[in-house]
Amino acid sequence: MSGEHSHALPTTQNQKYLLIALALTSTFLIAEVIGGIVTGSLALLSDAAHMLTDASALAISLAAMRIAKRKADARRTFGYHRFEILAAAFNAIMLFLVAIYILYEAYLRLKSPPEIQSTGMLVVAVIGLVVNLISMRLLSAGKDNSLNVKGAYLEVWSDMLGSIGVIVGAIVIRFTGWAMIDSIIAVAIGLWVLPRTWVLLKESMNILLEGVPDGIKIEEVNAAMLAVPGVLSVHDFHLWALTSGKASLTAHVVYDPGFLPEKQILPELKNILATKFSVFHTTLQFETVACAHTDDGCNFIPVNEEHGESGQAELKKLSV
């Protein structure tokens, strides 16, 4: 017996904003690379490198969203939703690599700071800040509902801080001539990005490994299911997410034969899972006799007069 509910994510608006952000980022990326080369600023080039990952992340996110909208087929019965999580994980890995490269390049430059044209550095950084602020505003609405959008938002956020750092560095260099501040700011940008990138990667890997979705505790879900009248125990319990905001649950439910599972238990279980935990895709198997797990699957253990209390104890042991 199973219940299913379509819980679509509002990706159309996200796609529109991602497309605008991609156009802005790609346009400015060219100007920032040229500005970094002309001025000799590593901080500006590091910001340009982050802009490159931004543009790549936004493009990958858009492609993933389009692919994720494809309908399920005979080969992929769950559809293509995981493409968004793959995109988020790829974006996180790109950020890691860029941050590590910038740290290494900054280390080399700290030994021999190059001459930097602070005026051009300042102008390019200010334009970059404006572009980043616009992109952040566009992506902020969807970042809490999609790890894919969150990854793109984090990329732009790190760039925004990078632009601020470059502006500060340009002002310091202009008035003090201390060129080493350029490399110091580049290091600060890299160190700020790394831990936040790790969080994004960890969240993405949790979904790819079919872990329990963030914000949901198995103990609470199990307790809520056991509180439904007629439910004796729950086992073979699995809770995971296909992508951000699309949790799925399967479980075996041992019920009291005095209740009608389809009319009295299933509707209540589906309602609790949907309203309390936002789990809309559920598959529940109802049993009057509990089954035990082996390498071959779920084997039934009869619970009758012959087993008595030991059978009931087995039920409790199998309950999640």
Side-chain angles (χ1 to χ4, degrees), residues 2-291:
S2 66
E4 186 171 333
H5 179 85
S6 178
H7 187 56
L9 296 174
T11 58
T12 302
Q13 194 77 341
N14 288 339
Q15 287 185 45
K16 176 183 176 182
Y17 291 153
L18 279 168
L19 185 60
I20 297 173
L22 175 60
L24 290 171
T25 301
S26 299
T27 300
F28 179 72
L29 170 62
I30 300 173
E32 192 164 36
V33 170
I34 294 173
I37 294 173
V38 171
T39 63
S41 169
L42 175 62
L44 199 56
L45 285 174
S46 74
D47 198 42
H50 285 149
M51 275 285 187
L52 177 60
T53 62
D54 282 355
S56 300
L58 292 167
I60 291 169
S61 297
L62 276 169
M65 281 188 171
R66 292 181 184 276
I67 294 173
K69 291 174 68 176
R70 293 181 182 176
K71 295 182 179 180
D73 53 40
R75 288 182 59 84
R76 296 172 181 83
T77 57
F78 275 111
Y80 294 78
H81 297 290
R82 279 286 167 86
F83 265 93
E84 291 195 64
I85 304 304
L86 288 172
F90 181 76
N91 290 339
I93 292 172
M94 276 204 309
L95 264 175
F96 259 119
L97 295 176
V98 169
I100 291 172
Y101 170 75
I102 293 302
L103 289 175
Y104 173 73
E105 186 66 23
Y107 167 74
L108 296 179
R109 287 206 177 193
L110 282 172
K111 296 191 214 179
S112 179
E115 183 179 349
I116 297 172
Q117 299 179 23
S118 58
T119 302
M121 176 181 173
L122 179 61
V123 171
V124 175
V126 169
I127 298 174
L129 178 61
V130 173
V131 171
N132 287 324
L133 289 174
I134 294 173
S135 297
M136 283 177 60
R137 177 65 178 174
L138 292 172
L139 300 177
S140 61
K143 67 181 178 64
D144 294 328
N145 297 321
S146 169
L147 272 185
N148 193 26
V149 178
K150 182 179 180 180
Y153 178 85
L154 180 58
E155 297 256 13
V156 177
W157 174 264
S158 67
D159 267 346
M160 185 271 293
L161 288 184
S163 296
I164 293 176
V166 174
I167 291 171
V168 172
I171 294 173
V172 171
I173 292 171
R174 181 171 182 79
F175 289 100
T176 68
W178 189 34
M180 189 176 290
I181 188 66
D182 180 69
S183 296
I184 293 174
I185 289 172
V187 170
I189 295 171
L191 292 177
W192 187 93
V193 169
L194 283 174
R196 286 152 184 80
T197 302
W198 170 249
V199 171
L200 175 63
L201 182 60
K202 186 170 67 171
E203 292 178 353
S204 302
M205 292 305 296
N206 183 58
I207 292 180
L208 290 175
L209 293 173
E210 298 188 341
V212 176
D214 289 338
I216 301 180
K217 295 182 179 179
I218 286 183
E219 298 81 4
E220 295 179 359
V221 177
N222 188 57
M225 294 177 69
L226 290 174
V228 173
V231 175
L232 298 179
S233 67
V234 179
H235 59 279
D236 198 17
F237 181 99
H238 301 281
L239 178 60
W240 74 101
L242 290 174
T243 186
S244 304
K246 290 186 72 69
S248 297
L249 179 149
T250 65
H252 289 198
V253 179
V254 178
Y255 70 98
D256 184 340
F259 289 78
L260 297 175
E262 291 185 355
K263 294 183 179 180
Q264 296 174 294
I265 302 178
L266 179 60
E268 185 64 22
L269 285 174
K270 289 175 62 178
N271 179 62
I272 288 175
L273 292 171
T275 57
K276 291 189 65 175
F277 305 102
S278 296
V279 178
F280 298 93
H281 186 280
T282 60
T283 302
L284 303 173
Q285 176 173 308
F286 288 92
E287 304 167 348
T288 56
V289 178
C291 61

